[in-house]
Amino acid sequence: MSALRRAKTWEISESEGSDAETINRDARSQTVTVSTALTEDQSSDQGCEPLPSSATNSESSQAPAALSPPRPAGRGTPSPARKRRTKEEIEADRQAARERKEARERQRAARAREKEERRQEQQKRREAAENLRSLRPESCLKRLTVCVDPALLQQDGSDILLGTLAAFEWRFSIESQQLPRSITWTRDLLQQGEDGKSSAEEEQVLLVLDLTDFMDIVVSVKKMLDSEGEEAGLGSFLSALLECLNRDAKKVVTLLVTDTEPDYRTNAGGVYLLDETLQSKLGMEALDIEEVLVYLQLYKNISLVFLDGWQEVTNHVCAVTKALSKRPFKLLTERAELPFCVDGSWASGSRVERDGSGLFQVWNKQIQQLNRVSPAVATAVTVAYPSPQLLLQAYQSLGSEEERKGLLAGLLVKSGGKERRIGPEISARVYRCLTAQNPQLVLD
């Protein structure tokens, strides 16, 4: 009776151990229970005391190990033997690794090159923008220096010029000039030139003279013209002036004659003439004086301006200074290869893109610039010959002059639902426009 009670107790304790025990574990538990019960019965029949529970538990813990199947010595499934690579395979892998490395280096070099090109392009754009800003009149005005000859400071009223320049905060210097009593301009260069100079002298020269000095120049020029161009024995001012022009033919000299009474007047062409009083002082006729002025202007590029006092001289100097400050920007805008192709729709201009689109419209506009050539006539010409080069080749293929002049006469012009021909007159004018060597030729 005691053995059965103990067997039930052992069964309950084993079932409470874990709910996740498998069927084999239950079977082993039942085997242990039966063996324990038999042992206790034998011990009770022999009159011995039952074994303690600890010994029973140790025996029961050893029983499942004895009943479980043997495990393999290693952990998990043994890996198959690794196959040794041949030298060819190893070399192929190394070659592939080198190729991948070279490809990565090429990509890295290409990215670095593209980055450098972008940096250089950005640097060029910044330099172009900075150069454009430096060419604006307000920037050029800061780099101009008005150079005044010290001899002019001895005249009354010359302080007006210096005061005005100082009020405008323009740079000026007082230094000796090649021509006495002259005013010149120098411009600071953005970059130092090859000859080591950081400034350049402008071509404009103002020579301030009084009436007596001007009459001396007129008399000297008249003597030189009468002596058929001999420059010996000329007055001091004219000798220095001609010497300066001989050294630099690009100089543009303007004579500013001051201290004049209302003895001068201007005609419709804007040329200053002397009245009878001044003619009597010089002892020359009006025609002789005009001859002198024409010689100075056409042969020596010397202009003449009569001013009343130093205030007008100052105004003239300021006007020339502002004009010189605007000159670089105007020269930049006039550098276009086709200056008549302006942006926008001003003067019916046509824009030419970098890929060449728009040249056909420019060719059409050029034909329309001729007198009495309508857009329909120009379209007929440009459709037959899409470029000036094609038209010139067509002219060269003809044998006689008459055939070239009448090449375009038979082209049909469609306008207003009617058709007509260009005619020989317009055809001859287009031919003369494209082939004439004389720039003064009248096309009509």
Side-chain angles (χ1 to χ4, degrees):
M1 224 24 218
S2 61
L4 293 176
R5 187 180 298 110
R6 290 179 181 177
K8 290 180 180 180
T9 304
W10 186 263
E11 271 184 272
I12 294 171
S13 64
E14 287 293 327
S15 62
E16 290 177 354
S18 175
D19 295 337
E21 294 291 333
T22 60
I23 298 176
N24 295 333
R25 181 67 62 82
D26 294 337
R28 289 197 300 271
S29 177
Q30 292 178 3
T31 304
V32 172
T33 303
V34 173
S35 62
T36 304
L38 291 177
T39 304
E40 290 180 355
D41 290 342
Q42 290 177 2
S43 62
S44 61
D45 293 341
Q46 295 177 2
C48 300
E49 293 182 358
L51 295 173
S53 60
S54 61
T56 305
N57 293 337
S58 63
E59 292 178 358
S60 62
S61 62
Q62 295 175 1
L67 295 177
S68 60
R71 291 185 177 182
R75 293 183 178 180
T77 305
S79 59
R82 180 177 297 177
K83 183 180 179 181
R84 298 186 62 181
R85 298 184 299 170
T86 62
K87 293 183 178 180
E88 291 77 7
E89 294 177 347
I90 294 175
E91 187 62 27
D93 292 343
R94 290 178 179 174
Q95 183 64 24
R98 285 195 296 268
E99 291 178 356
R100 290 193 297 270
K101 183 178 180 181
E102 292 176 357
R104 289 194 298 270
E105 290 178 355
R106 286 194 298 269
Q107 293 178 358
R108 190 180 301 109
R111 288 194 295 268
R113 187 167 55 254
E114 292 177 358
K115 184 177 179 181
E116 181 65 18
E117 290 177 356
R118 289 195 299 269
R119 188 190 66 80
Q120 292 179 359
E121 186 66 23
Q122 292 176 358
Q123 181 67 20
K124 290 180 181 178
R125 288 198 295 266
R126 285 195 294 267
E127 291 177 357
E130 183 65 24
N131 188 23
L132 182 61
R133 285 194 294 270
S134 64
L135 293 179
R136 295 189 177 278
E138 57 272 13
S139 300
C140 291
L141 193 59
K142 298 178 181 179
R143 300 198 304 270
L144 283 176
T145 301
V146 183
C147 304
V148 182
D149 189 79
L152 293 176
L153 302 182
Q154 300 176 4
Q155 299 183 11
D156 296 337
S158 59
D159 56 337
I160 299 177
L161 174 62
L162 300 182
T164 304
L165 295 178
F168 287 156
E169 298 182 354
W170 292 351
R171 297 193 307 179
F172 64 91
S173 64
I174 301 174
E175 54 186 11
S176 299
Q177 304 296 319
Q178 296 180 358
L179 283 176
R181 303 183 186 181
S182 64
I183 300 174
T184 60
W185 288 263
T186 58
R187 184 190 305 272
D188 293 342
L189 302 179
L190 296 178
Q191 297 179 354
Q192 189 172 0
E194 298 179 356
D195 54 355
K197 296 181 180 179
S198 60
S199 61
E201 188 175 353
E202 295 291 341
E203 301 173 356
Q204 298 291 332
V205 178
L206 297 182
L207 183 58
V208 183
L209 302 175
D210 54 17
L211 184 58
T212 304
D213 297 330
F214 172 69
M215 289 191 299
D216 179 52
I217 290 178
V218 172
V219 172
S220 300
V221 172
K222 181 59 178 175
K223 290 181 180 180
M224 185 180 64
L225 294 178
D226 294 340
S227 61
E228 298 181 356
E230 294 183 3
E231 297 183 1
L234 299 179
S236 59
F237 282 101
L238 184 59
S239 299
L241 181 58
L242 296 180
E243 183 180 356
C244 177
L245 294 178
N246 292 332
R247 284 196 302 264
D248 190 356
K250 295 182 180 180
K251 291 292 185 180
V252 180
V253 180
T254 302
L255 300 181
L256 302 182
V257 181
T258 60
D259 297 333
T260 60
E261 300 176 357
D263 295 334
Y264 301 97
R265 61 182 182 273
T266 59
N267 59 2
V271 179
Y272 288 88
L273 300 177
L274 300 176
D275 63 357
E276 297 178 356
T277 304
L278 188 57
Q279 294 176 21
S280 61
K281 292 180 180 179
L282 294 177
M284 295 187 299
E285 300 294 335
L287 185 61
D288 297 333
I289 297 176
E290 291 182 8
E291 182 182 0
V292 170
L293 299 180
V294 168
Y295 172 80
L296 292 176
Q297 187 171 6
L298 295 184
Y299 289 90
K300 299 300 181 180
N301 198 19
I302 298 176
S303 302
L304 179 64
V305 179
F306 292 95
L307 300 176
D308 185 12
W310 270 93
Q311 183 59 52
E312 292 188 3
V313 172
T314 302
N315 296 338
H316 189 86
V317 171
C318 294
V320 175
T321 305
K322 292 180 180 180
L324 291 176
S325 67
K326 298 177 182 179
R327 184 180 181 182
F329 191 78
K330 289 184 177 180
L331 291 178
L332 180 64
T333 56
E334 294 175 358
R335 287 179 183 176
E337 297 180 359
L338 300 177
F340 51 85
C341 299
V342 296
D343 296 341
S345 58
W346 178 83
S348 300
S350 300
R351 180 181 177 85
V352 179
E353 302 295 340
R354 292 185 177 180
D355 58 354
S357 59
L359 289 175
F360 182 82
Q361 288 77 10
V362 173
W363 171 226
N364 191 291
K365 295 292 184 182
Q366 284 181 299
I367 300 296
Q368 294 183 38
Q369 290 178 355
L370 299 176
N371 292 335
R372 299 184 302 278
V373 175
S374 63
V377 174
T379 302
V381 175
T382 54
V383 169
Y385 302 95
S387 68
Q389 185 65 27
L390 295 177
L391 183 55
L392 291 176
Q393 292 176 1
Y395 285 141
Q396 294 174 0
S397 63
L398 299 178
S400 63
E401 189 77 9
E402 295 299 329
E403 291 178 352
R404 298 189 186 100
K405 290 182 179 181
L407 176 63
L408 306 177
L411 295 180
L412 294 178
V413 179
K414 298 180 180 180
S415 61
K418 298 181 181 180
E419 291 185 358
R420 61 182 180 87
R421 299 187 183 277
I422 290 181
E425 181 184 356
I426 296 180
S427 177
R429 278 197 287 135
V430 174
Y431 171 73
R432 287 193 295 268
C433 177
L434 295 178
T435 60
Q437 300 295 329
N438 182 13
Q440 305 298 331
L441 179 64
V442 179
L443 300 178
D444 291 338

